[in-house]
Structures are given as C-alpha cells and as structure tokens.
Amino acid sequence: MLVLIANLGSTSFKYRLYRMDQSGQEVLAKGGFERVSDYAAVIDEALANLQTEGVISSADEIDAVGFKTVLGKDLSGCVIADDICVKALEDFSAVAPAHNPPYANGIRQFAKSLPKARLVALFETAFYQWVPEERATYALPKSWRDIGIRRYGFHGASHKFVAERSAELLGRDDVALSTASLYQNGPAPISGKALRVVSCHLGGSSSVTGIYNGVAIGTSMGFSPQSGLPQNNRVGDLDSGALPYAMKTLGISLEEAERQLTKESGLQGVSGVSNDIRDIHAAIKEGNADAALALSSLIDSIRHWVGAFAWQMGGIDALVFTAGIGENDHAIRKAVCEGLEEFGLVFDQERNLACRAVEGELSSANSKAKIFVIPANEELVLAREVFRKLSHTKN
Ligand code: AMP
C-alpha cells in the first residue's frame, strides 16, 4: 500500500511517501514547500514531482493519504477524512486557527487531486480518548462543557510513538502490540506487570503525557494547544482570572490579548530574547536574568507534570525525552532528572552528553527506572495508523 503523509501548516506543505505492508515500511520520497499561498498548486506540483522523479508512474498508484489533524468538534480517533471530518475541523477552527483551516482545505484539495485515494485523518487528540473523565473535565457549568470545553490533549502521534517504542526498548512486546492496535480495538488488558511511562515532547510546542500500559492517562495540554508548559510563543497554563484583569488594566481588546498570549508569550515573552531555547542559553551565558527565568520556568513546569503523572500511575518505569529540545538539549534533560534517585531514577551525565538527536539511554546501570531519548517520528505513526485503519476497513 502506498501511503502519502501530508503535513499541512498555515504556510507550508511537507509530504512523505511510504510503502507499507504487514512486515514494515519504506520511505520512498519526501519533500515540501514553504510560503505556500495556493495549496491546490503545490499539491499538484508534489504529485507531478513524484512522477518525474520516477517514484510512481501515475498519481493513481497512491492508495491513501494520511493527515495529522489537530482537533475536531465531537470527533476524534483515526477516521476516514470525509465531509464529516472536514466539518468537525471547521467547527473548531477558532480553537486551533493555525492548524484546522489548512487541514480542512488540504483534505478537500486532495479529494479533488487524488479522487481514487482513501483519505484518513488521525487526530492529535485520539491518543487521549481513554483519559478518565474526571481528569478530562474542567469544573465548569454544564453549558460550557456542552459546547465541547474539556481537556483534549495534543502531540498524540508523537506520544504514541514513544508509547510503542519505549515498550519495545523495555522488552514489553505485549504492551507495544496492544498500543499498536489502540485506534482499531481500544485498550487491551495487559496480563503482565503494569508499564508506566512519562513522555516529554519538548519542542517549539511542548507537552508531557502519562502513559499506562501504552494508553495515555493524562497530559499537560488541555482544551487548546495554548495550555500546559510554556511554549515557544504561547503562554501555556494561565489562570482564567488573568485575562479579564489584563484586558481591563492594560486597556486591550480580546483580540489583542489573544494575540499577545499566542505570539508574544511563552519562552519569547519571559526571556524577551527569542522563542528558541538555543538563543536563550546563549543569552544566559551573557548574564541575561530574564532568559534564565524563561529556562527555569520551563524546567519547573516539566518536572511538575512528570511528577503529577508518576504519582497518578503509582510510580514510573521510564521517562522519555523527544522532539527538538528533548532530543538535543542535554542541560534541560539533566535539570529535569536531577535529585530523583529516591524515585528510582539515576541519571548518567556521560550518557546524556553523548546522546544528541539519536535514540539512547540516559539512566545509569543501577537506575530502577529507565531514562530514554526517543527521536520523534510522527509521520511513521501516521503511516502505520492509515495502514492499520484501511486494513480493517472494507472499501
Ligand atoms: P520541534 O518543534 O520538535 O521541531 O523543536 C524545535 C525546537 O527545538 C527549537 O525551537 C529549538 O528550541 C529546539 N532545538 C532544535 N535543535 C536544537 C539543538 N541542537 N539544541 C537545543 N535545542 C534545539
């Protein structure tokens, strides 16, 4: 089965073409476009490129297209990307304005450009479908909850990859197998000892997720990607009382407050230097106290959420770092893991310094719980889920 994974940003389009079968997968091609204004044109150009490069001889050979959709109103899971799916995205465009409109448009466009291909959407919220209701509920009046305000969770494809891969690394093929079939069969009971993993996706956008026997039991992000840890330009968690107070005191409109909370907050807002952690480290070296505060706030928030999920799961068997910061930033990894020996986590700084943008173990030989770096591979999760979905769905 040839599966094209389409990654649609507000001004970008990236793709990866996989050949999938029961025994595994192969990446046949990848490419992308920046500063996109006309999606129809770049999608057709990508399909033409795949033919001129000799990867496929006709666009009809592409069996399926997979979309990593963010969140839909009253819809989650791994679903056929049809009109219902597009409407669910559009109904929540205001909650994820950078993500939902490009996916709604992209799905429509692919339906025209590849009429024979099956279109499949894997929602970022899907991994959180089994989070207990009490943890997904905000203490709001029923009317607010009835319009869909609850904790959803994001980065689902990334955390699911960590769930599968960490189980494999720990020799728990039973959990890896059960996690693999999550969107087709739901969580399966595990007969062996419980496996408790906390996954830290730390990048331009960050979240921490607790994973029990391969299933997410909670996450730092909530209703929108605006919540949880301080993000690159987004505030992360904020007391709801702060918004009306700031609007009244600073004399700013709701639109302006939203702009500042999404564009001028997070690491950028606190450091006043940059939204990129590398620039923040450089500024700290020059003695910038605001940059130091941005970094320590991020570390504090990561530890807060790791602790929350380890406690809720009754312990931790593996702590995993992934995404741009998690895979590269050894200083943050060290700070997150310091002083946790009593909880069974013994950190090995030599291993930490040696591990950059590759899979590796950071815990020492005498550590009861493991600490891993697992490079993110969201496209692979997508390709696998599209393949699993279509292998289970009759035409
Ligand atoms: P992502 O969203 O996963 O692509 O991660 C992007 C972020 O990762 C950037 O904003 C950087 O802050 C961080 N990052 C990327 N490369 C490095 C690196 N070599 N060292 C530290 N941080 C990095």
Side-chain angles (χ1 to χ4, degrees), residues 3 25-26 54 60 92 103 126 138 234 236 254 259 284 294 296 298 303 310-311 313-314 341 357 365 372:
V3 179
Q25 67 279 324
E26 183 191 353
D60 286 348
F92 259 170
Y103 273 105
Y138 290 118
R234 288 179 270 125
L254 180 59
R259 193 190 66 75
I284 294 170
S296 56
L298 175 64
R303 287 176 66 100
W311 190 265
M313 294 191 290
E341 294 78 9
F372 294 124

Side-chain angles (χ1 to χ4, degrees), residues 156-167:
S158 173
H159 290 298
K160 185 168 190 291
F161 184 70
V162 167
E164 287 188 47
R165 185 67 192 138
S166 60

